[in-house]
Amino acid sequence: RRKRAELQEQLETMTQQLDNNNHDHKQQLTALEQKFFEEKIRLQKEANRRIEELASKAHSEAISNLDERTRSIYRENAAMVDALSLHMSEEQSLRKQKE
């Protein structure tokens, strides 16, 4: 009888310890989940900020390249106008020679 009472008491103690361990584990798990979600949100904000920075930088570079490209096209157009004038004058010269 005495041994049975001791075993019963040990069982209750172990059951209580198991319940305490489960409770502590759940608290730790909840804390880790909270930390995970906070870190996830922080990383998402950081990623969004970096994307905005990169988009802004790309936009600025595109505008500066567009300005350079516009100047380049203007120079090409001026060269083409000169070449066209030369070809037209040569054509007129050839027509006069043909007549």
XYZ file of all heavy atoms in Angstrom:
827
model
N 0.816 -1.191 0.000
C 0.000 0.000 0.000
C 0.865 1.263 0.000
O 0.545 2.220 -0.701
C -0.855 -0.012 1.253
C -2.262 0.339 0.924
C -3.172 0.191 2.120
N -4.086 -0.904 2.019
C -5.219 -0.835 1.380
N -5.579 0.269 0.803
N -5.999 -1.842 1.327
N 1.884 1.229 0.828
C 2.768 2.380 0.918
C 3.506 2.607 -0.406
O 3.634 3.738 -0.869
C 3.752 2.135 2.042
C 4.573 3.332 2.346
C 5.359 3.062 3.603
N 6.076 4.250 3.943
C 7.073 4.297 4.740
N 7.491 3.198 5.331
N 7.675 5.398 5.006
N 3.965 1.527 -0.989
C 4.664 1.619 -2.271
C 3.723 2.140 -3.352
O 4.120 2.961 -4.173
C 5.215 0.255 -2.643
C 6.054 0.310 -3.888
C 7.040 -0.827 -3.890
C 7.896 -0.629 -5.097
N 9.245 -0.923 -4.942
N 2.495 1.681 -3.295
C 1.501 2.140 -4.284
C 1.267 3.638 -4.127
O 1.174 4.363 -5.121
C 0.203 1.375 -4.092
C -0.812 1.725 -5.123
C -2.026 0.871 -5.003
N -2.970 1.262 -6.025
C -4.096 0.683 -6.245
N -4.447 -0.363 -5.527
N -4.892 1.106 -7.184
N 1.200 4.124 -2.915
C 1.012 5.551 -2.664
C 2.217 6.343 -3.162
O 2.077 7.424 -3.761
C 0.786 5.795 -1.182
N 3.408 5.815 -2.948
C 4.616 6.488 -3.448
C 4.623 6.533 -4.971
O 4.962 7.554 -5.574
C 5.873 5.761 -2.944
C 6.164 5.959 -1.490
C 7.372 5.144 -1.029
O 8.130 4.630 -1.892
O 7.556 5.010 0.180
N 4.278 5.420 -5.572
C 4.209 5.369 -7.044
C 3.154 6.342 -7.575
O 3.376 7.021 -8.580
C 3.930 3.950 -7.528
C 5.057 2.932 -7.350
C 4.592 1.536 -7.754
C 6.271 3.339 -8.169
N 2.024 6.398 -6.916
C 0.954 7.323 -7.316
C 1.449 8.761 -7.204
O 1.201 9.579 -8.080
C -0.291 7.101 -6.436
C -1.500 7.895 -6.859
C -2.056 7.423 -8.192
O -1.888 6.266 -8.596
N -2.702 8.316 -8.897
N 2.160 9.053 -6.114
C 2.693 10.406 -5.913
C 3.741 10.728 -6.970
O 3.764 11.837 -7.524
C 3.303 10.517 -4.519
C 3.719 11.931 -4.158
C 4.266 12.010 -2.737
O 3.731 11.354 -1.829
O 5.251 12.758 -2.567
N 4.602 9.769 -7.281
C 5.607 9.977 -8.325
C 4.941 10.210 -9.676
O 5.359 11.071 -10.455
C 6.547 8.771 -8.410
C 7.565 8.675 -7.312
C 8.447 7.425 -7.461
O 8.175 6.548 -8.282
N 9.482 7.347 -6.633
N 3.895 9.447 -9.931
C 3.158 9.602 -11.189
C 2.534 10.992 -11.272
O 2.620 11.654 -12.324
C 2.086 8.514 -11.312
C 1.252 8.553 -12.597
C 2.141 8.372 -13.814
C 0.173 7.480 -12.541
N 1.938 11.443 -10.210
C 1.334 12.773 -10.195
C 2.398 13.855 -10.365
O 2.196 14.839 -11.089
C 0.543 12.983 -8.899
C -0.736 12.174 -8.839
C -1.450 12.294 -7.495
O -1.021 13.101 -6.645
O -2.436 11.562 -7.304
N 3.546 13.663 -9.706
C 4.645 14.625 -9.835
C 5.146 14.665 -11.277
O 5.355 15.746 -11.855
C 5.807 14.250 -8.881
O 5.314 14.210 -7.544
C 6.944 15.244 -8.973
N 5.331 13.502 -11.844
C 5.805 13.437 -13.232
C 4.778 14.023 -14.195
O 5.130 14.714 -15.157
C 6.152 11.999 -13.607
C 7.352 11.457 -12.870
S 7.603 9.715 -13.198
C 8.875 9.802 -14.435
N 3.508 13.753 -13.936
C 2.436 14.310 -14.765
C 2.442 15.833 -14.674
O 2.324 16.531 -15.689
C 1.069 13.756 -14.344
O 1.098 12.333 -14.419
C -0.033 14.281 -15.232
N 2.623 16.350 -13.473
C 2.686 17.806 -13.272
C 3.901 18.395 -13.992
O 3.798 19.438 -14.637
C 2.733 18.135 -11.764
C 2.697 19.616 -11.459
C 1.405 20.264 -11.907
O 0.330 19.668 -11.833
N 1.506 21.474 -12.397
N 5.038 17.699 -13.887
C 6.234 18.173 -14.580
C 6.028 18.161 -16.090
O 6.444 19.081 -16.791
C 7.444 17.304 -14.210
C 7.984 17.542 -12.827
C 9.132 16.595 -12.497
O 9.336 15.582 -13.177
N 9.867 16.920 -11.429
N 5.377 17.124 -16.587
C 5.086 17.032 -18.016
C 4.169 18.169 -18.454
O 4.405 18.810 -19.488
C 4.464 15.675 -18.350
C 4.155 15.421 -19.831
C 5.426 15.474 -20.659
C 3.470 14.067 -19.991
N 3.136 18.437 -17.654
C 2.235 19.553 -17.956
C 2.995 20.880 -17.949
O 2.803 21.725 -18.834
C 1.073 19.601 -16.959
C 0.078 18.461 -17.163
O 0.105 17.835 -18.248
O -0.713 18.204 -16.225
N 3.871 21.058 -16.951
C 4.679 22.280 -16.886
C 5.600 22.397 -18.096
O 5.736 23.477 -18.687
C 5.508 22.322 -15.597
C 4.659 22.538 -14.367
O 3.517 22.995 -14.450
N 5.200 22.190 -13.198
N 6.219 21.274 -18.455
C 7.102 21.270 -19.633
C 6.332 21.600 -20.905
O 6.813 22.355 -21.757
C 7.816 19.924 -19.775
C 8.896 19.725 -18.737
O 9.344 20.672 -18.101
N 9.308 18.469 -18.555
N 5.139 21.024 -21.036
C 4.302 21.314 -22.203
C 3.922 22.790 -22.247
O 3.958 23.422 -23.315
C 3.047 20.444 -22.210
C 3.323 19.021 -22.641
O 4.317 18.747 -23.305
N 2.442 18.107 -22.259
N 3.568 23.319 -21.085
C 3.192 24.732 -21.008
C 4.379 25.616 -21.387
O 4.248 26.564 -22.174
C 2.689 25.065 -19.601
C 2.232 26.469 -19.462
N 3.067 27.475 -19.040
C 1.020 27.044 -19.703
C 2.400 28.611 -19.036
N 1.151 28.379 -19.420
N 5.555 25.315 -20.841
C 6.763 26.081 -21.166
C 7.104 25.978 -22.651
O 7.466 26.962 -23.295
C 7.956 25.589 -20.334
C 7.818 25.918 -18.855
O 6.961 26.767 -18.505
O 8.567 25.323 -18.048
N 6.954 24.774 -23.183
C 7.237 24.557 -24.603
C 6.300 25.390 -25.478
O 6.727 26.010 -26.462
C 7.115 23.068 -24.944
C 7.329 22.758 -26.382
N 8.566 22.829 -26.979
C 6.459 22.398 -27.348
C 8.441 22.525 -28.261
N 7.167 22.245 -28.507
N 5.018 25.403 -25.132
C 4.047 26.194 -25.891
C 4.388 27.681 -25.830
O 4.293 28.395 -26.830
C 2.629 25.951 -25.380
C 2.065 24.620 -25.809
C 0.650 24.417 -25.280
C 0.129 23.036 -25.636
N -1.214 22.811 -25.136
N 4.821 28.154 -24.657
C 5.200 29.555 -24.520
C 6.431 29.866 -25.368
O 6.483 30.900 -26.046
C 5.473 29.911 -23.056
C 4.227 30.051 -22.219
C 4.555 30.440 -20.781
O 5.598 30.080 -20.246
N 3.637 31.165 -20.160
N 7.404 28.966 -25.340
C 8.603 29.166 -26.151
C 8.263 29.152 -27.638
O 8.770 29.963 -28.414
C 9.649 28.097 -25.840
C 10.288 28.227 -24.482
C 11.204 27.054 -24.167
O 11.211 26.037 -24.863
N 11.970 27.198 -23.086
N 7.407 28.234 -28.025
C 6.994 28.130 -29.422
C 6.266 29.403 -29.860
O 6.529 29.939 -30.944
C 6.102 26.903 -29.621
C 5.689 26.588 -31.057
C 6.907 26.329 -31.919
C 4.759 25.379 -31.071
N 5.371 29.883 -29.018
C 4.651 31.121 -29.323
C 5.618 32.291 -29.446
O 5.501 33.108 -30.366
C 3.597 31.412 -28.232
O 2.690 30.308 -28.169
C 2.833 32.678 -28.529
N 6.593 32.368 -28.539
C 7.584 33.443 -28.594
C 8.413 33.355 -29.874
O 8.674 34.373 -30.533
C 8.484 33.392 -27.359
N 8.805 32.140 -30.252
C 9.582 31.968 -31.490
C 8.759 32.317 -32.728
O 9.275 32.930 -33.671
C 10.092 30.528 -31.595
C 11.265 30.170 -30.688
C 11.568 28.678 -30.774
C 12.498 30.977 -31.052
N 7.496 31.926 -32.730
C 6.627 32.272 -33.852
C 6.479 33.789 -33.966
O 6.538 34.347 -35.065
C 5.254 31.613 -33.695
C 5.257 30.126 -33.946
C 3.916 29.472 -33.655
O 3.058 30.095 -32.989
O 3.723 28.316 -34.075
N 6.290 34.447 -32.835
C 6.164 35.905 -32.830
C 7.444 36.551 -33.364
O 7.401 37.458 -34.188
C 5.865 36.409 -31.409
C 5.686 37.902 -31.308
C 4.447 38.386 -32.034
O 3.455 37.666 -32.168
N 4.506 39.603 -32.520
N 8.582 36.047 -32.892
C 9.873 36.570 -33.348
C 10.041 36.343 -34.848
O 10.508 37.219 -35.573
C 11.003 35.886 -32.577
C 12.371 36.426 -32.872
C 13.417 35.740 -32.014
C 14.810 36.252 -32.334
N 15.835 35.566 -31.555
N 9.633 35.157 -35.325
C 9.710 34.836 -36.753
C 8.878 35.809 -37.580
O 9.351 36.340 -38.583
C 9.245 33.397 -36.986
C 9.063 33.051 -38.433
C 10.151 32.766 -39.227
C 7.787 33.031 -38.991
C 9.983 32.455 -40.572
C 7.614 32.721 -40.323
C 8.717 32.435 -41.118
N 7.635 36.042 -37.159
C 6.762 36.930 -37.917
C 7.260 38.373 -37.884
O 7.189 39.087 -38.888
C 5.318 36.832 -37.426
C 4.642 35.550 -37.827
C 4.154 34.678 -36.876
C 4.505 35.202 -39.162
C 3.546 33.488 -37.242
C 3.903 34.021 -39.543
C 3.421 33.154 -38.582
N 7.792 38.803 -36.746
C 8.355 40.158 -36.664
C 9.557 40.296 -37.595
O 9.701 41.307 -38.286
C 8.757 40.481 -35.224
C 7.575 40.699 -34.302
C 7.965 40.821 -32.841
O 9.170 40.689 -32.503
O 7.056 41.056 -32.008
N 10.397 39.277 -37.623
C 11.567 39.299 -38.511
C 11.129 39.261 -39.972
O 11.695 39.942 -40.824
C 12.488 38.115 -38.194
C 13.762 38.070 -38.991
C 14.725 39.189 -38.672
O 14.524 39.929 -37.674
O 15.699 39.346 -39.428
N 10.107 38.477 -40.257
C 9.586 38.395 -41.623
C 9.070 39.759 -42.072
O 9.353 40.207 -43.193
C 8.465 37.353 -41.693
C 7.885 37.162 -43.063
C 6.794 36.106 -43.048
C 6.149 35.968 -44.414
N 5.045 35.002 -44.393
N 8.330 40.430 -41.211
C 7.804 41.758 -41.534
C 8.949 42.746 -41.726
O 8.957 43.540 -42.666
C 6.822 42.233 -40.444
C 5.536 41.419 -40.513
C 6.519 43.716 -40.584
C 4.597 41.631 -39.334
N 9.966 42.678 -40.863
C 11.117 43.571 -40.980
C 11.830 43.348 -42.314
O 12.162 44.294 -43.021
C 12.088 43.346 -39.824
C 13.252 44.328 -39.804
C 14.313 43.948 -38.788
N 15.038 42.749 -39.136
C 16.009 42.692 -40.062
N 16.357 43.771 -40.726
N 16.640 41.557 -40.308
N 12.016 42.078 -42.670
C 12.686 41.763 -43.935
C 11.855 42.206 -45.134
O 12.400 42.678 -46.142
C 12.994 40.264 -44.013
C 14.092 39.771 -43.082
C 14.189 38.251 -43.124
C 15.431 40.404 -43.428
N 10.528 42.075 -45.048
C 9.665 42.523 -46.141
C 9.764 44.036 -46.309
O 9.852 44.538 -47.431
C 8.214 42.119 -45.881
C 7.937 40.651 -46.122
C 6.514 40.254 -45.768
O 5.867 40.888 -44.952
N 6.040 39.182 -46.379
N 9.762 44.760 -45.179
C 9.888 46.218 -45.252
C 11.232 46.608 -45.848
O 11.313 47.511 -46.686
C 9.721 46.838 -43.860
C 8.310 46.837 -43.354
C 8.208 47.454 -41.964
C 6.782 47.437 -41.449
N 6.682 47.989 -40.092
N 12.281 45.920 -45.415
C 13.615 46.211 -45.938
C 13.688 45.907 -47.437
O 14.253 46.677 -48.208
C 14.670 45.401 -45.186
C 16.088 45.714 -45.603
C 17.112 44.925 -44.809
O 16.830 44.539 -43.655
O 18.201 44.704 -45.357
N 13.104 44.783 -47.839
C 13.097 44.419 -49.259
C 12.319 45.454 -50.071
O 12.769 45.862 -51.155
C 12.495 43.024 -49.448
N 11.178 45.894 -49.558
C 10.387 46.915 -50.262
C 11.164 48.221 -50.378
O 11.136 48.878 -51.420
C 9.055 47.147 -49.549
C 8.107 45.982 -49.718
O 8.243 45.178 -50.621
N 7.142 45.879 -48.830
N 11.875 48.584 -49.294
C 12.674 49.812 -49.323
C 13.786 49.695 -50.374
O 14.004 50.600 -51.162
C 13.275 50.070 -47.940
C 14.101 51.346 -47.851
C 14.796 51.490 -46.503
N 15.658 50.375 -46.166
C 16.888 50.195 -46.642
N 17.393 51.043 -47.497
N 17.602 49.147 -46.272
N 14.453 48.523 -50.420
C 15.526 48.322 -51.396
C 14.975 48.345 -52.820
O 15.601 48.892 -53.725
C 16.234 46.994 -51.137
C 16.998 46.942 -49.857
C 18.490 47.039 -49.959
N 19.087 46.159 -50.929
C 20.011 46.574 -51.788
N 20.431 47.793 -51.775
N 20.528 45.733 -52.664
N 13.800 47.752 -53.013
C 13.182 47.751 -54.339
C 12.877 49.181 -54.766
O 13.117 49.566 -55.913
C 11.919 46.871 -54.354
C 12.316 45.392 -54.269
C 11.073 47.128 -55.590
C 11.158 44.444 -54.027
N 12.338 49.977 -53.846
C 12.045 51.374 -54.153
C 13.326 52.135 -54.498
O 13.346 52.934 -55.437
C 11.328 52.040 -52.987
C 9.896 51.594 -52.814
C 9.220 52.218 -51.601
O 9.723 53.239 -51.095
O 8.197 51.676 -51.169
N 14.394 51.883 -53.730
C 15.674 52.544 -54.015
C 16.187 52.157 -55.394
O 16.617 53.022 -56.170
C 16.728 52.160 -52.965
C 16.551 52.805 -51.621
C 17.573 52.314 -50.603
O 18.466 51.508 -50.957
O 17.480 52.742 -49.440
N 16.138 50.859 -55.698
C 16.621 50.388 -57.000
C 15.765 50.926 -58.140
O 16.285 51.299 -59.198
C 16.659 48.857 -57.037
C 17.731 48.209 -56.157
C 17.556 46.690 -56.141
C 19.121 48.576 -56.640
N 14.467 50.983 -57.938
C 13.569 51.519 -58.969
C 13.861 52.997 -59.202
O 13.915 53.456 -60.353
C 12.117 51.322 -58.562
N 14.079 53.729 -58.126
C 14.399 55.146 -58.246
C 15.729 55.341 -58.970
O 15.854 56.197 -59.859
C 14.452 55.782 -56.856
O 14.832 57.123 -56.953
N 16.722 54.541 -58.608
C 18.035 54.627 -59.253
C 17.921 54.271 -60.736
O 18.499 54.955 -61.589
C 19.013 53.685 -58.556
C 20.411 53.755 -59.092
C 21.347 52.842 -58.315
C 22.751 52.890 -58.886
N 23.663 51.990 -58.185
N 17.183 53.204 -61.040
C 17.004 52.792 -62.435
C 16.290 53.879 -63.227
O 16.655 54.167 -64.373
C 16.221 51.486 -62.504
N 15.303 54.517 -62.606
C 14.576 55.589 -63.270
C 15.504 56.763 -63.564
O 15.500 57.313 -64.676
C 13.398 56.033 -62.390
C 12.580 57.123 -62.985
N 11.740 56.914 -64.056
C 12.483 58.433 -62.679
C 11.161 58.048 -64.372
N 11.595 58.985 -63.550
N 16.320 57.136 -62.576
C 17.260 58.241 -62.769
C 18.262 57.923 -63.874
O 18.560 58.774 -64.719
C 18.007 58.531 -61.467
O 17.118 58.937 -60.464
N 18.785 56.698 -63.855
C 19.737 56.306 -64.897
C 19.064 56.269 -66.265
O 19.680 56.671 -67.264
C 20.349 54.945 -64.560
C 21.336 54.997 -63.424
C 21.933 53.642 -63.092
O 21.710 52.670 -63.847
O 22.628 53.562 -62.071
N 17.834 55.825 -66.312
C 17.118 55.793 -67.590
C 16.933 57.199 -68.130
O 17.105 57.445 -69.333
C 15.762 55.103 -67.417
N 16.607 58.130 -67.243
C 16.428 59.512 -67.687
C 17.751 60.086 -68.187
O 17.799 60.725 -69.246
C 15.837 60.375 -66.553
C 14.372 59.990 -66.339
C 15.954 61.851 -66.866
C 13.727 60.660 -65.156
N 18.839 59.847 -67.448
C 20.131 60.377 -67.896
C 20.553 59.721 -69.197
O 21.092 60.384 -70.086
C 21.205 60.187 -66.816
O 21.499 58.828 -66.638
N 20.299 58.414 -69.335
C 20.615 57.739 -70.598
C 19.719 58.225 -71.719
O 20.165 58.343 -72.857
C 20.487 56.224 -70.447
C 21.581 55.631 -69.609
O 22.627 56.236 -69.434
N 21.355 54.454 -69.069
N 18.490 58.513 -71.399
C 17.579 59.035 -72.412
C 18.084 60.376 -72.914
O 18.077 60.641 -74.108
C 16.169 59.186 -71.828
C 15.108 59.771 -72.761
C 14.884 58.853 -73.950
C 13.825 60.000 -72.012
N 18.559 61.217 -72.019
C 19.090 62.505 -72.426
C 20.284 62.320 -73.365
O 20.381 62.978 -74.400
C 19.499 63.330 -71.203
C 18.304 63.751 -70.360
O 17.171 63.720 -70.897
O 18.503 64.083 -69.185
N 21.183 61.402 -73.017
C 22.341 61.121 -73.870
C 21.879 60.525 -75.193
O 22.373 60.876 -76.247
C 23.299 60.167 -73.149
C 24.487 59.753 -73.982
C 25.329 60.928 -74.471
O 25.472 61.918 -73.733
O 25.830 60.861 -75.606
N 20.908 59.625 -75.130
C 20.383 59.008 -76.348
C 19.707 60.051 -77.229
O 19.863 60.021 -78.444
C 19.394 57.904 -75.973
C 18.848 57.145 -77.132
C 19.931 56.298 -77.788
N 19.360 55.627 -78.938
C 19.981 55.416 -80.069
N 21.228 55.795 -80.233
N 19.377 54.795 -81.057
N 19.003 60.983 -76.613
C 18.352 62.040 -77.380
C 19.398 62.881 -78.111
O 19.233 63.212 -79.294
C 17.506 62.929 -76.447
O 16.538 62.102 -75.791
C 16.784 64.008 -77.206
N 20.478 63.232 -77.420
C 21.555 64.000 -78.069
C 22.172 63.190 -79.205
O 22.461 63.723 -80.287
C 22.621 64.375 -77.035
C 22.173 65.450 -76.074
C 23.341 65.959 -75.233
N 23.843 64.974 -74.294
C 23.401 64.802 -73.060
N 22.430 65.575 -72.597
N 23.912 63.885 -72.284
N 22.352 61.910 -78.979
C 22.926 61.040 -80.001
C 22.020 60.985 -81.238
O 22.498 61.061 -82.367
C 23.118 59.638 -79.435
O 23.550 58.749 -80.422
N 20.724 60.858 -81.007
C 19.776 60.827 -82.132
C 19.794 62.153 -82.887
O 19.749 62.183 -84.126
C 18.356 60.486 -81.629
C 18.308 59.019 -81.190
C 17.302 60.759 -82.692
C 17.028 58.616 -80.507
N 19.889 63.257 -82.156
C 19.948 64.567 -82.802
C 21.173 64.656 -83.718
O 21.082 65.111 -84.854
C 19.979 65.684 -81.745
C 20.062 67.058 -82.344
C 18.943 67.669 -82.884
C 21.279 67.733 -82.394
C 19.015 68.918 -83.455
C 21.375 68.981 -82.964
C 20.243 69.578 -83.487
O 20.329 70.814 -84.066
N 22.340 64.193 -83.202
C 23.562 64.218 -84.022
C 23.405 63.321 -85.253
O 23.821 63.678 -86.357
C 24.764 63.782 -83.180
C 25.204 64.819 -82.158
C 26.537 64.456 -81.518
N 26.480 63.220 -80.738
C 26.242 63.150 -79.439
N 26.021 64.248 -78.738
N 26.219 61.988 -78.826
N 22.801 62.131 -85.057
C 22.576 61.229 -86.192
C 21.655 61.880 -87.227
O 21.889 61.763 -88.439
C 21.971 59.919 -85.705
C 22.925 59.021 -84.955
C 22.251 57.776 -84.408
O 21.152 57.410 -84.882
O 22.827 57.164 -83.494
N 20.611 62.542 -86.753
C 19.681 63.210 -87.672
C 20.386 64.319 -88.455
O 20.156 64.478 -89.659
C 18.490 63.789 -86.909
C 17.496 62.725 -86.499
O 17.551 61.607 -86.986
N 16.602 63.067 -85.590
N 21.238 65.094 -87.775
C 21.974 66.158 -88.453
C 22.882 65.565 -89.518
O 22.965 66.085 -90.653
C 22.791 66.962 -87.443
N 23.561 64.450 -89.212
C 24.426 63.795 -90.191
C 23.600 63.271 -91.368
O 24.022 63.365 -92.529
C 25.209 62.662 -89.528
N 22.413 62.738 -91.078
C 21.555 62.221 -92.162
C 21.042 63.354 -93.045
O 20.934 63.194 -94.277
C 20.398 61.420 -91.572
C 20.850 60.102 -90.961
S 19.523 59.204 -90.144
C 18.657 58.555 -91.560
N 20.738 64.502 -92.444
C 20.299 65.660 -93.239
C 21.416 66.092 -94.178
O 21.183 66.368 -95.374
C 19.861 66.827 -92.316
C 19.726 68.126 -93.088
C 18.547 66.476 -91.638
N 22.643 66.147 -93.659
C 23.785 66.507 -94.507
C 23.955 65.499 -95.636
O 24.165 65.885 -96.807
C 25.071 66.575 -93.675
C 25.072 67.736 -92.702
O 24.271 68.690 -92.889
O 25.877 67.688 -91.740
N 23.847 64.203 -95.317
C 24.001 63.167 -96.344
C 22.877 63.263 -97.369
O 23.121 63.132 -98.587
C 24.022 61.787 -95.695
N 21.670 63.526 -96.935
C 20.536 63.658 -97.846
C 20.724 64.852 -98.769
O 20.474 64.766 -99.978
C 19.230 63.790 -97.059
C 17.953 63.912 -97.890
C 17.754 62.683 -98.767
C 16.761 64.129 -96.981
N 21.191 65.950 -98.201
C 21.451 67.137 -99.040
C 22.494 66.821 -100.094
O 22.347 67.217 -101.272
C 21.931 68.302 -98.179
O 20.923 68.701 -97.295
N 23.537 66.130 -99.723
C 24.586 65.751 -100.667
C 24.021 64.866 -101.769
O 24.266 65.093 -102.964
C 25.721 65.040 -99.922
C 26.859 64.506 -100.798
C 27.613 65.665 -101.447
C 27.797 63.660 -99.977
N 23.230 63.865 -101.403
C 22.639 62.961 -102.398
C 21.669 63.703 -103.316
O 21.618 63.427 -104.527
C 21.933 61.791 -101.716
C 22.858 60.810 -101.082
N 23.798 60.104 -101.785
C 22.996 60.406 -99.790
C 24.480 59.318 -100.965
N 24.004 59.490 -99.728
N 20.903 64.619 -102.764
C 19.957 65.371 -103.605
C 20.695 66.261 -104.599
O 20.300 66.367 -105.765
C 19.016 66.190 -102.722
C 18.013 65.321 -101.979
S 16.947 66.241 -100.874
C 15.901 67.081 -102.036
N 21.776 66.897 -104.124
C 22.532 67.749 -105.058
C 23.202 66.896 -106.130
O 23.261 67.281 -107.306
C 23.559 68.596 -104.315
O 24.553 67.787 -103.745
N 23.688 65.707 -105.766
C 24.275 64.805 -106.758
C 23.219 64.346 -107.755
O 23.480 64.239 -108.951
C 24.915 63.601 -106.068
C 26.225 63.888 -105.377
C 26.817 62.672 -104.692
O 26.244 61.562 -104.820
O 27.850 62.833 -104.035
N 22.001 64.074 -107.256
C 20.911 63.657 -108.143
C 20.584 64.763 -109.136
O 20.423 64.504 -110.338
C 19.668 63.307 -107.333
C 18.499 62.897 -108.213
C 17.181 62.845 -107.454
O 17.091 63.354 -106.336
O 16.230 62.305 -108.041
N 20.506 65.997 -108.657
C 20.214 67.117 -109.561
C 21.330 67.281 -110.591
O 21.060 67.545 -111.773
C 20.037 68.411 -108.763
C 18.739 68.473 -108.005
C 18.617 69.754 -107.186
O 19.576 70.502 -107.050
N 17.435 69.970 -106.636
N 22.551 67.108 -110.135
C 23.680 67.221 -111.047
C 23.604 66.146 -112.125
O 23.817 66.407 -113.290
C 24.976 67.094 -110.252
O 26.077 67.066 -111.093
N 23.269 64.916 -111.740
C 23.158 63.809 -112.695
C 21.991 64.033 -113.655
O 22.091 63.729 -114.846
C 23.001 62.486 -111.954
C 24.233 61.956 -111.214
C 23.880 60.721 -110.397
C 25.349 61.646 -112.206
N 20.896 64.605 -113.175
C 19.742 64.878 -114.064
C 20.114 65.928 -115.109
O 19.718 65.830 -116.262
C 18.542 65.359 -113.233
C 17.814 64.236 -112.526
C 16.605 64.779 -111.769
N 16.068 63.791 -110.885
C 14.902 63.192 -111.075
N 14.158 63.519 -112.077
N 14.490 62.281 -110.216
N 20.867 66.944 -114.646
C 21.272 67.989 -115.606
C 22.207 67.417 -116.649
O 22.119 67.775 -117.815
C 21.955 69.122 -114.862
C 21.012 70.008 -114.105
C 21.747 71.151 -113.434
C 20.757 71.989 -112.648
N 21.433 73.063 -111.910
N 23.092 66.503 -116.205
C 24.011 65.895 -117.172
C 23.258 65.016 -118.145
O 23.627 64.928 -119.333
C 25.060 65.029 -116.428
C 26.112 65.805 -115.732
C 27.082 64.883 -114.994
O 26.966 63.662 -115.040
N 28.042 65.500 -114.306
N 22.193 64.387 -117.683
C 21.419 63.502 -118.538
C 20.667 64.277 -119.602
O 20.493 63.807 -120.710
C 20.460 62.686 -117.686
C 19.742 61.606 -118.415
C 18.882 60.801 -117.485
C 18.127 59.733 -118.246
N 17.246 58.974 -117.393
N 20.268 65.482 -119.269
C 19.480 66.300 -120.224
C 20.362 66.865 -121.235
O 20.858 66.938 -122.101
C 18.789 67.448 -119.489
C 17.718 66.985 -118.565
C 17.133 68.133 -117.750
O 17.608 69.257 -117.811
O 16.187 67.857 -116.997
